[in-house]
Amino acid sequence: MSKGKTTLAIELPLPAEGSAVTKQERAYLAIREAILQGLLHADDRLPSTRVLAQRWGIARGTLESVFERLQLEGYILRQVGSGSRVSAMIPDSYLKAVSGTRPPMPAPKTSTRRESNSTRPTAENRAQVGVPFVARLANPLLIAPTEWAAHLQRAMAAITPEQMCSTETEGAWVLREQVARYLRNHRGIDCQAEHVLITNGIRHGIDLVARCVLKAGDQVCVEDPGYPAVHRTFAQAGASLRYAPIDEQGIDLRALPNMVNCRLAYVTPAHQSPLGVIMSATRRLELLDWAQRHDAWIIEDDYDSEFNYHSAPLPALKSIDSMQRVVYCGSFNQALFSNLRLGYLLAPPPLHNQILALWHTVGRSVGVSEQLGLAAFMRSPAFLRHLRRARQEYQTLRDIVLDTLHTHAPGRYRISGEHAGFHLILWLTAEQDEDLLIKAAKQVGLQLQPLRQSCHQIQLKPALILGFAALTRAQAKSAAIKLAQLLNTPRPSSPGCAADAG
């Protein structure tokens, strides 16, 4: 295959209907897997959407959506006049690992007895619903208490004596079945119920992994800027933190020399916390390659992947983890409400068994009633209906903030990271003083979080993390007008992002 010429992609078969629900998903998988398996190489030119539409019998508009998604994820690059080319660089060791048919994920050596009757917000944040612009907080008004209570009541009415006193340590089987089904259908992860562990949330899962993997003096690679609460978890485990900078493609391991002694890397690839960057396909594969070569682990924190406003939620890093190096952590605390305290963890089998043994030792703290109620909620149409409703409402709130700022303070800021999640980044101009702006905002009822609080070694320009999800539409409008008025007030110049987050 010669570089720069149209490839034989038009000969690629579409996956069978059973492997993907829609033609759009099948076309996406056909091109993505061809890249990951080395059939298409970096700089190879793809056929046009018109040619592929004729070959596969798919509407051209559908293929345009597929190509846009592949570009968003970093697999291809589209340029007017020169077509679409493969941009992802696939490490040789990854290609060797995926040569032939990718084996299914093996089951951990744990009990799989079926039972009968088959993240982030702090206590302070939970009291701040409706306060602009608190970040990373779900809107509890979007889930009807009566609907949630009805599922809890039905689940408890059918509970058996066995479930009341002897639920498996891994979590209620019925909930693990629903989580595994959700991950297969919506996150692209090939898993079964026996692979899932139920936790109190993402940070709880990360703490379990840290206790099993790390010993004093071990190195952990974390994102910079990143999520300080998780960084503290690793530090309390005795680890030495290595701060990898974030650029437009995500985490950059090449900026950190001497990574051979690093035991663990923690990443937020779908919507980097806090910058909102999507980790490119090349960086994802480089990260997997690094973990394989150095016998290291990767923790994937998938904290808000349900809420992507430009396309379907992006596939998880775990979905291409042919080398079994990724520990996947997710939570319902942002998908539903923050005080639910229910999450899940998916680890490669050897590590799964270590985590489960520790879980047995420290004791469980996830109540069976909440687990059975959530399983009933997920089994019904209510769960996906809620996600659709929440996604639409959060997008509306985001648009209100963006449109209002654009109307009332044009040219006074720059926005990034707005394509997904509960927050966006507002970059200040050189004329504005960040500290004075935050102080003035507090006086009019706005809580602004400076990006510098998430920085450690990286130097960034002054910026604010604006959360919008936990507001009403009226609050979002009013708060954005207040912020626009503050942005319009000229301020003296100030230094950039602090070198130490404190």
Side-chain angles (χ1 to χ4, degrees):
M1 185 184 306
S2 61
K3 295 294 180 82
K5 296 183 178 180
T6 302
T7 71
L8 298 180
I10 55 174
E11 302 302 328
L12 294 173
L14 285 177
E17 291 187 11
S19 62
V21 177
T22 65
K23 285 187 176 182
Q24 179 173 324
E25 187 70 15
R26 291 165 64 197
Y28 163 79
L29 290 175
I31 299 174
R32 190 192 76 165
E33 292 305 307
I35 295 172
L36 293 178
Q37 294 174 13
L39 300 178
L40 300 175
H41 302 280
D43 204 38
D44 280 345
R45 190 169 64 192
L46 294 171
S48 67
T49 54
R50 184 188 303 277
V51 171
L52 285 177
Q54 294 173 348
R55 171 66 176 84
W56 284 343
I58 297 178
R60 188 178 179 187
T62 298
L63 286 169
E64 285 290 338
S65 298
V66 169
F67 275 48
E68 288 175 5
R69 179 178 176 184
L70 290 166
Q71 177 172 247
L72 184 64
E73 295 174 24
Y75 288 103
I76 68 173
L77 180 65
R78 307 187 76 188
Q79 292 182 333
V80 177
S82 60
S84 302
R85 297 178 183 273
V86 176
S87 60
M89 302 288 292
I90 315 298
D92 290 341
S93 57
Y94 183 88
L95 291 176
K96 292 177 182 177
V98 300
S99 60
T101 303
R102 184 179 301 177
M105 184 178 181
K109 296 178 181 178
T110 60
S111 168
T112 57
R113 172 181 57 83
R114 293 175 181 258
E115 299 169 356
S116 58
N117 195 37
S118 317
T119 108
R120 300 190 180 280
T122 63
E124 180 184 0
N125 281 343
R126 284 197 295 271
Q128 294 176 322
V129 172
V131 176
F133 289 94
V134 172
R136 304 184 182 94
L137 186 58
N139 194 330
L141 302 178
L142 298 183
I143 183 167
T146 53
E147 183 178 35
W148 176 250
H151 287 88
L152 279 175
Q153 184 177 11
R154 282 195 291 269
M156 294 308 296
I159 195 172
T160 66
E162 181 185 24
Q163 290 173 317
M164 295 177 72
C165 63
S166 61
T167 299
E168 292 177 291
T169 305
E170 301 97 311
W173 180 268
V174 289
L175 177 56
R176 291 157 62 201
E177 281 186 318
Q178 294 303 317
V179 171
R181 185 181 71 169
Y182 174 75
L183 294 179
R184 288 193 305 269
N185 293 341
H186 298 277
R187 304 302 294 125
I189 300 174
D190 183 14
C191 65
Q192 302 299 325
E194 56 263 30
H195 302 132
V196 178
L197 295 178
I198 300 301
T199 67
N200 277 357
I202 291 176
R203 281 195 285 175
H204 175 221
I206 291 171
D207 180 58
L208 290 172
V209 175
R211 292 197 201 188
C212 291
V213 169
L214 300 175
K215 60 182 184 296
D218 282 345
Q219 293 182 354
V220 175
C221 175
V222 296
E223 300 169 322
D224 190 13
Y227 187 37
V230 171
H231 298 180
R232 290 193 292 270
T233 297
F234 297 133
Q236 289 168 359
S240 173
L241 300 185
R242 301 289 306 277
Y243 293 92
I246 300 298
D247 61 20
E248 66 278 0
Q249 293 191 60
I251 192 168
D252 185 6
L253 294 182
R254 293 168 294 184
L256 295 181
N258 303 320
M259 287 281 287
V260 293
N261 296 322
C262 193
R263 290 285 296 140
L264 183 66
Y266 165 80
V267 293
T268 52
H271 186 239
Q272 196 275 330
S273 176
L275 291 180
V277 175
I278 300 172
M279 189 185 298
S280 70
T282 296
R283 293 285 175 84
R284 293 179 185 226
L285 295 168
E286 288 176 349
L287 184 62
L288 291 171
D289 181 60
W290 165 81
Q292 176 68 10
R293 286 187 289 107
H294 297 292
D295 192 26
W297 301 103
I298 302 166
I299 294 180
E300 177 180 14
D301 182 343
D302 207 29
Y303 68 102
D304 66 357
S305 62
E306 295 89 356
F307 304 107
N308 191 296
Y309 311 124
H310 291 179
S311 65
L314 304 179
L317 176 66
K318 183 67 178 175
S319 69
I320 58 173
D321 178 29
S322 61
M323 304 171 190
Q324 293 295 317
R325 306 311 306 177
V326 176
V327 181
Y328 178 86
C329 296
S331 171
F332 297 101
N333 300 335
Q334 288 187 311
L336 298 176
F337 54 93
S338 63
N339 211 25
L340 180 57
R341 316 318 304 161
L342 271 173
Y344 46 90
L345 181 150
L346 199 66
L351 190 52
H352 174 108
N353 295 329
Q354 293 181 49
I355 295 170
L356 184 59
L358 175 62
W359 205 197
H360 274 288
T361 302
V362 301
R364 293 166 292 152
S365 54
V366 180
V368 66
S369 58
E370 292 89 346
Q371 292 188 60
L372 297 181
L374 178 57
F377 192 69
M378 295 183 71
R379 192 165 48 239
S380 75
F383 179 61
L384 294 182
R385 183 170 62 241
H386 167 77
L387 290 183
R388 287 193 297 270
R389 181 170 62 242
R391 189 181 300 118
Q392 292 169 357
E393 182 61 20
Y394 294 151
Q395 182 172 357
T396 297
L397 291 168
R398 180 205 66 171
D399 291 345
I400 288 173
V401 172
L402 292 179
D403 292 345
T404 303
L405 289 175
H406 178 73
T407 299
H408 295 279
R412 304 292 297 169
Y413 62 89
R414 180 174 63 86
I415 296 292
S416 68
E418 75 277 16
H419 63 276
F422 293 173
H423 72 271
L424 51 84
I425 303 296
L426 184 143
W427 300 87
L428 302 178
T429 65
E431 307 157 352
Q432 291 149 349
D433 185 293
E434 183 180 43
D435 291 330
L436 291 178
L437 181 63
I438 292 172
K439 183 178 180 179
K442 187 175 182 179
Q443 294 175 350
V444 295
L446 306 183
Q447 181 171 319
L448 302 181
Q449 178 182 340
L451 179 60
R452 67 171 184 258
Q453 291 181 348
S454 300
C455 298
H456 190 81
Q457 297 174 347
I458 194 170
Q459 298 287 328
L460 297 176
K461 293 181 179 179
L464 304 170
I465 301 174
L466 297 187
F468 50 80
L471 303 174
T472 66
R473 297 183 184 187
Q475 288 169 341
K477 180 78 171 181
S478 173
I481 291 175
K482 291 179 182 179
L483 179 56
Q485 292 171 344
L486 296 175
L487 291 172
N488 280 322
T489 304
R491 305 290 181 182
S493 300
S494 64
C497 181
D500 188 352

